Amino acid sequence: MAHATSIQYEPVAEIGGGAYGTVYKARDTESGQFVALKSVRVQTDQNGLPISTVREVALLKRLEQFDHPNVVRLMDVCATKRSDQETKVTLVFEHVDQDLKTYLERAPAPGLSPDRIKDLMRQLLCGLAFLHSNRVMHRDLKPENILVTSQGQVKLADFGLARIYSCHMALTPVVVTLWYRPPEVLLQTSYATPVDIWSTGCIFAEMFRRKPLFCGDSEVDQLGKILEVIGLPPEDEWPTDVTLSRKNFPSFMPRPIAEFVSEINEQGAQLLMNMLTFDPLKRISALNALEHPYFRDEETLTQTKR
Amino acid sequence: MARTGVSDSKPLLDLHKKADDRRAPLRTWANACGPIDRWQPVEVDEPKMAPVKMEPEPPERRWERRLSAQTSDGIIMGFHEDGQTHSDDVVDKCVEERVLLHPRGLQSLHSLQALVPSLLRREVELALETLGLVWDRAFAWDMFLVMMRTQTWYSFPSADLPRHFTDATRAVLVDWLIKVHEMMHFQEETLYLAIHLINRSLRQIKVSTANLQLLGMVCLFLAAKKEECLLPEVSGLCYLMDHTYTRHQLLRMERKVLCGLKFDLSYCPPLHFLVILTSVARCSVKVVWMARYLLELSLLEGQCVVFLPAQLAGAALCLSRQVLQEPPTPEGEAAWCLASSIHVGSETALLRIMHILAKAAAKAHTRETCATFIKFSSPETMNVSRHPGLKNASALLGVCT
């Protein structure tokens, strides 16, 4: 099997270290298409592949069948034995040259038009709503893993990998950017799908700013930068049983978001604040965000709606 | 859950043995697990709304007739104007008469059109929720529609097997797995998924006859990894195969199957459709057991792989009702009417399946592959497999002879 895979996919270049291991750009020798190869090494005991890996990859395959336009295609999966204790699972994704980070960098001087931003956001939320309704969390949403095709189609990548990678993660200390992390993750309380909405909010702001909104260099610093903008939440919203106490932060007052994100219209600012809500339970959901008045004008509708 | 301690109760599989030697050691472990409570019909306290009071008719005829009237949606049938353009005359006449007899009936006809989809929807949501198939009732109906639409992924274009396998070999393997599955006290879904994985693997990866048993066991193991909380040890599985294969061979086969199937383990077992149908139709416990028995028999029939899960479930339920011939009640008939408005498949397909299942049930006790027959002959399953009505297939399906 390993042999078959290495023959079918011919590596072309290393594309990004990635938090979880090297990602290769490769050519599918059968179709001539470029693909992205991501490998995960999973620990195997005497009972074969761990249940978690089997279930997570099966879930990705199941999502694949719905062929959602805003989710990157998973074209192939393969498991190869490396040793008695280790199996390599290779996921073969469609390759898209450009991610949102480079897309923003390449945008000419005044930046993206408000309509373009709205279209990107709608597609991003469509993909996210699809994942969330299938009980898949992204957990690590950032401009680097939001792909933008040359036709301007948004495709989410790297979703659902967090759980597949998790056992590997424990072995390799990795630096994962903090900038898109919501307060509940920084405070290490339990978290769910609202995590992705927070990250989406940060990315929404970044599309206007063309630079990240909160650039902390540690967990505390990140949280401080967040609270400086959204204000210190009331006592009862601060989670209990966390090491980081509310008292560590000055009593920031919420500041108008337009100070940080100029050019955003009123409805956009409102939606952005619904996403950047401290309490994950009060944060807007992907489906509700799509219903927000910000998206109401129909001129910018694209084929990706639905 | 290492079951290595089980000594001589190990189900044996030998595809090469002569027919006479192949009798499986069954009784020792058969019926070890009783019925699973959650598959009992859903009980609802509130009185059932019976939209139409019609003369009780033979259920199979009504089912057939409903099949021809299908809305554009293709999932819920009848009760719409476009339904009347089809050959739904009898029902319409029936309703029309009522309308003429009761002046207020006209109103109820209109409300009926609006009522049936919402009634059905409520019943389906309730069924899915009671069965623990959904997390949130708000998603239940959507999930049901997805189940109905995506089930086409799970049937096969043809029943043909690779050249060196026959339906008989496949049946022996399935029968053995049914025994192993029962011994492991796995959930029913695990069995259906395992057989589905075998059906796919046989078509997608090259397996020699010598490795067929290994393939079967790996499919059951993978199904358990997907569905079960407690996993058997690989060493235990090797023991169950008389150490014909090593642990390494088993794990290699696991990788081979996973790669061959590209890790796609999704499936919607016909059992789920059966459970929804029997819940909406308020079927008696006995009808449910009989239908479950007939449905499990379909696993042994290689020809059944071409049918959709909902078709198999619908056919098993129709046949079950026909065999048991329970006296109709107005509530039961109304509920059956509602269940019949779920379009499960064409009349031809349902009759073909019913024919296959009736034949299988009539011969079940004489076959070597009788694990299912024995499993459903216990008092816990209301001895359904021994029901005298199953003996004569041709009489059962007068329509087919």
Side-chain angles (χ1 to χ4, degrees), chain A:
Chain A
M1 268 299 157
H3 200 54
T5 324
S6 57
I7 286 175
Q8 197 189 341
Y9 303 106
E10 174 185 72
V12 177
E14 203 177 300
I15 41 169
Y20 309 109
T22 323
V23 184
Y24 290 97
K25 177 179 178 176
R27 193 199 306 271
D28 182 342
T29 49
E30 277 173 24
S31 67
Q33 276 183 317
F34 286 114
V35 294
L37 296 183
K38 301 186 183 186
S39 299
V40 200
R41 285 197 297 267
V42 292
Q43 306 300 304
T44 41
D45 57 8
Q46 67 273 22
N47 289 323
L49 273 179
I51 294 186
S52 57
T53 312
V54 171
R55 288 189 185 171
E56 293 301 325
V57 181
L59 181 61
L60 292 186
K61 279 303 289 183
R62 159 112 184 123
L63 291 186
E64 184 55 29
Q65 293 171 326
F66 291 95
D67 204 23
H68 195 279
N70 301 122
V71 157
V72 78
R73 296 277 75 84
L74 172 59
M75 299 159 79
D76 200 357
V77 191
C78 190
T80 22
K81 181 177 162 175
R82 288 177 61 92
S83 72
D84 272 357
Q85 286 82 40
E86 205 175 76
T87 302
K88 187 172 81 171
V89 177
T90 307
L91 302 158
V92 183
F93 290 98
E94 85 181 291
H95 182 261
V96 179
D97 259 321
Q98 181 177 235
D99 61 28
L100 185 62
K101 192 176 175 224
T102 50
Y103 186 80
L104 289 175
E105 282 165 4
R106 283 178 197 169
L112 299 177
S113 73
D115 280 352
R116 191 75 202 100
I117 291 179
K118 190 178 289 186
D119 178 42
L120 291 171
M121 278 301 290
R122 183 186 282 119
Q123 298 189 50
L124 173 54
L125 284 164
C126 274
L128 210 53
F130 166 72
L131 293 183
H132 288 178
S133 62
N134 283 287
R135 285 188 247 126
V136 176
M137 262 167 76
H138 195 299
R139 292 196 215 206
D140 190 26
L141 207 54
K142 53 189 174 193
E144 287 91 330
N145 51 36
I146 297 169
L147 308 177
V148 186
T149 67
S150 45
Q151 287 81 39
Q153 193 177 5
V154 171
K155 282 167 179 272
L156 300 181
D158 282 353
F159 51 86
L161 296 185
R163 274 184 288 180
I164 298 171
Y165 285 127
S166 57
C167 53
H168 182 55
M169 281 266 285
L171 302 170
T172 24
V174 285
V175 186
V176 184
T177 177
L178 300 169
W179 299 345
Y180 306 93
R181 291 206 175 167
E184 69 268 25
V185 173
L186 297 166
L187 289 166
Q188 296 173 356
T189 57
S190 64
Y191 50 90
T193 50
V195 167
D196 294 335
I197 298 296
W198 179 277
S199 312
T200 307
C202 297
I203 293 162
F204 189 20
E206 191 166 332
M207 287 183 195
F208 287 98
R209 291 163 52 90
R210 290 195 293 155
K211 56 178 192 275
L213 181 61
F214 308 120
C215 308
D217 45 30
S218 70
E219 262 97 347
V220 186
D221 184 45
Q222 180 71 23
L223 199 54
K225 289 205 158 72
I226 289 170
L227 298 181
E228 249 178 75
V229 175
I230 68 167
L232 189 68
E235 188 79 57
D236 60 316
E237 277 190 17
W238 200 270
T240 48
D241 307 326
V242 291
T243 44
L244 212 53
S245 152
R246 183 172 173 273
K247 293 189 191 73
N248 293 12
F249 300 94
S251 49
F252 294 117
M253 291 304 288
R255 291 165 61 183
I257 195 69
E259 269 183 40
F260 307 93
V261 189
S262 53
E263 291 156 36
I264 195 165
N265 67 16
E266 202 179 308
Q267 283 161 337
Q270 203 183 60
L271 174 61
L272 177 56
M273 287 325 288
N274 289 342
M275 293 177 157
L276 298 181
T277 301
F278 182 85
D279 184 348
L281 297 175
K282 293 181 185 158
R283 212 171 290 154
I284 197 166
S285 72
L287 269 177
N288 288 337
L290 283 167
E291 299 290 310
H292 193 276
Y294 171 67
F295 292 114
R296 198 138 302 161
D297 58 337
E298 296 297 307
E299 292 88 24
T300 53
L301 258 186
T302 62
Q303 78 287 358
T304 48
K305 179 92 194 253
R306 198 169 199 288

Side-chain angles (χ1 to χ4, degrees), chain B residues 32-92:
Chain B
C33 53
I36 300 158
D37 286 334
R38 68 190 182 106
W39 294 125
Q40 301 291 323
V42 184
E43 298 293 338
V44 180
D45 292 333
E46 48 191 311
K48 172 98 183 87
M49 289 174 73
V52 208
K53 294 270 187 282
M54 282 190 283
E55 292 301 311
E57 296 176 67
E60 71 283 5
R61 277 184 46 222
R62 175 171 308 130
W63 186 287
E64 288 159 24
R65 203 156 15 74
R66 293 242 169 256
L67 296 174
S68 52
Q70 183 187 341
T71 63
S72 53
D73 192 20
I75 290 174
I76 310 171
M77 302 184 298
F79 301 106
H80 286 273
E81 278 173 0
D82 60 351
Q84 292 172 6
T85 58
H86 300 276
S87 58
D88 213 0
D89 305 318
V90 191
V91 172
D92 292 335

Side-chain angles (χ1 to χ4, degrees), chain B residues 189-248:
Chain B
E189 284 93 338
T190 310
L191 177 63
Y192 281 87
L193 176 59
I195 308 302
H196 175 68
L197 296 179
I198 291 176
N199 291 336
R200 282 184 56 207
S201 304
L202 282 176
R203 288 162 174 83
Q204 282 177 21
I205 59 181
K206 272 190 187 153
V207 189
S208 65
T209 323
N211 279 335
L212 192 58
Q213 185 183 18
L214 182 63
L215 173 77
M217 187 58 112
V218 161
C219 288
L220 183 64
F221 188 47
L222 281 173
K225 279 190 175 179
K226 174 107 189 300
E227 301 287 342
E228 300 288 336
C229 311
L230 273 175
L231 262 195
E233 300 276 331
V234 168
S235 49
L237 301 181
C238 292
Y239 167 81
L240 285 174
M241 296 186 288
D242 259 343
H243 297 290
T244 314
Y245 313 95
T246 63
R247 196 170 61 80
H248 283 278

Side-chain angles (χ1 to χ4, degrees), chain B residues 296-315:
Chain B
E296 195 172 303
L297 284 179
S298 76
L299 292 177
L300 293 149
E301 304 297 318
Q303 338 157 38
C304 281
V305 302
V306 299
F307 299 108
L308 299 177
Q311 291 176 334
L312 291 167

